Every structure is written in structure tokens, then in C-alpha cells.
Amino acid sequence: VQDAASGQDPKSRGNEGSQQCWKEEIREILGEIQAPLSPLLLRLFHWLLPKLLTRLFLSVQLHLGQLEMVLRAAKTPKVPLVFLCSHQSQVDGPLLSFILLSQGIGLPRVTVGAGSSPRLRSLLQRLGGIFLPSGMAQTLSDRDEGLPEAVLDAYIQEVLQSCQPLVLFLEEPPASLWLAEPARCWLLRVVRALRDGAVPDVLIVPVGITYDVAP
């Protein structure tokens, strides 16, 4: 992050005023990505969600054998879980977050697509949602990388190093057969964390979510 910040203006390296401006810009970028979790909102949300699900669906079914495999994998020391998920509805994120937390795997960081209002974005961040910084170039190229990309790289490294579960949605609803551009951007950060040695390994968990009728 320091290299990316100083690279914007090499002559300002060591200048206290410029460093303070970088810090403020970095804080703004980080605030666009995530926010501190709210224990009160989390308790309220996970009390309300089962009531909502019973109104939306007749039942929610899990493959218990596969769930047991995930629970065993979650006990692997110092190796984070990365869930790669199909995406058919905006209910997917809250549903998967509730399941993982209720099974003792932990509260995941869940990627959320663009298009949320500022209030909804703030609420989702308090519940564990993470967003791409605004205006960030969503490219697979290593070139034209700036400060937002560097901050996002560092953030994903911190999430993986702390072994927080990470949920990445591969599609944008309505589901398609193409990998969504935001998903490419998130996946690139995970690959870089592995390549740079931030974590020794990650456990990839494919997740399929289907509905008789998508809400």
C-alpha cells in the first residue's frame, strides 16, 4: 500500500503532509470496502432471518454429509475457507451467512455486488458484507494498478490470514454461465495472496444454491 501511495507522486516520499493525505485516502477506500461489525445488528438479523425464511419457503435443505466435510475442513489450522458460490437471488448472501454462523464455522465476509443504496450498503457492511472500492478498475491485468487495488489486496490478505471464511459469488443474478467481472476481481486478490505467500494455502468450497422458485 505504501509503494502504491508513494508511486502516485515519487517526489512526495517522506513528506509528512503527503503521507497524511495518503492515510486519509486509504481510510476512505477501506471504509468503502468494509465497516466494523455490529453485534447488536447481527443478533437481530439472525433472529429475524429464520422467521423470514419460513414465510418465503416450505423448507431449506442442506446436504448433511457435505456439511460434515466442511466442518472438518474448518478445523484445519491456519488455512482459511473460501466459498465459491452460484448466485441466483439477493437472499443467497444472508442465507449462507446464517448457515455458516449457526454451524459454528464463523461469520463470513460476503462479497456484495454493486447497485446497493448507501443505506443498504452501510447495513450490509455491518453484517459482514464487503464491496469493491468505487471506481476501481476491474481488470485481470497486473498493469494500471493504483491505491484502491493495493488496499483491496492488503484487506483480502488480512481476512485470509485471520482465517475468516470468505464467500465469493461467481455470478450476478439472474444467474448466467459467465463469470461476473466483480468475481474475477475478488478471485484475483485470493490468487495474489497465495502467490505472495500471505497464506500457505486456502480450502476452496464450491457451493450450489438452488430454489424451486427464486425469490
Side-chain angles (χ1 to χ4, degrees):
V1 173
Q2 289 177 341
D3 290 343
S6 60
Q8 294 181 352
D9 186 4
K11 296 181 180 179
S12 64
R13 185 183 293 271
N15 185 310
E16 291 186 5
S18 296
Q19 289 181 354
Q20 187 61 33
C21 290
W22 295 340
K23 290 179 181 179
E24 291 299 326
E25 186 175 353
I26 289 167
R27 289 192 187 99
E28 290 180 5
I29 295 170
L30 188 59
E32 291 182 342
I33 298 172
Q34 61 99 51
L37 299 174
S38 171
L40 177 61
L41 279 177
L42 284 167
R43 285 195 295 269
L44 179 62
F45 178 76
H46 287 102
W47 176 75
L48 286 174
L49 186 61
K51 301 180 183 302
L52 173 65
L53 293 176
T54 57
R55 290 182 177 274
L56 287 176
F57 311 115
L58 293 176
S59 65
V60 177
Q61 299 179 0
L62 299 175
H63 191 296
L64 295 182
Q66 294 176 356
L67 181 60
E68 289 176 3
M69 294 175 63
V70 174
L71 291 172
R72 288 200 301 269
K75 297 178 181 178
T76 306
K78 297 183 180 179
V79 179
L81 294 175
V82 177
F83 295 84
L84 302 184
C85 312
S86 60
H87 200 12
Q88 298 188 28
S89 165
Q90 299 300 339
V91 178
D92 296 348
L95 175 62
L96 191 55
S97 176
F98 171 74
I99 290 172
L100 295 179
L101 186 60
S102 65
Q103 295 299 318
I105 295 174
L107 181 72
R109 288 294 185 171
V110 181
T111 60
V112 183
S116 303
S117 67
R119 288 186 178 181
L120 180 58
R121 183 181 182 123
S122 177
L123 174 63
L124 293 175
Q125 285 180 325
R126 297 287 182 178
L127 296 172
I130 55 177
F131 294 78
L132 291 175
S134 61
M136 183 174 139
Q138 297 168 3
T139 174
L140 292 175
S141 172
D142 285 334
R143 296 173 295 179
D144 301 327
E145 293 285 304
L147 192 55
E149 289 82 1
V151 174
L152 187 61
D153 280 335
Y155 175 76
I156 290 299
Q157 288 184 12
E158 289 290 335
V159 170
L160 296 176
Q161 287 172 346
S162 62
C163 288
Q164 295 181 66
L166 180 63
V167 174
L168 306 181
F169 288 108
L170 301 180
E171 306 157 334
E172 289 293 331
S176 69
L177 297 177
W178 300 103
L179 183 65
E181 198 61 34
R184 293 176 183 267
C185 196
W186 289 111
L187 285 170
L188 178 61
R189 269 66 214 176
V190 175
V191 171
R192 284 182 178 173
L194 281 169
R195 182 192 65 190
D196 296 341
V199 287
D201 200 2
V202 297
L203 292 174
I204 300 295
V205 182
V207 179
I209 303 176
T210 60
Y211 303 91
D212 290 336
V213 178

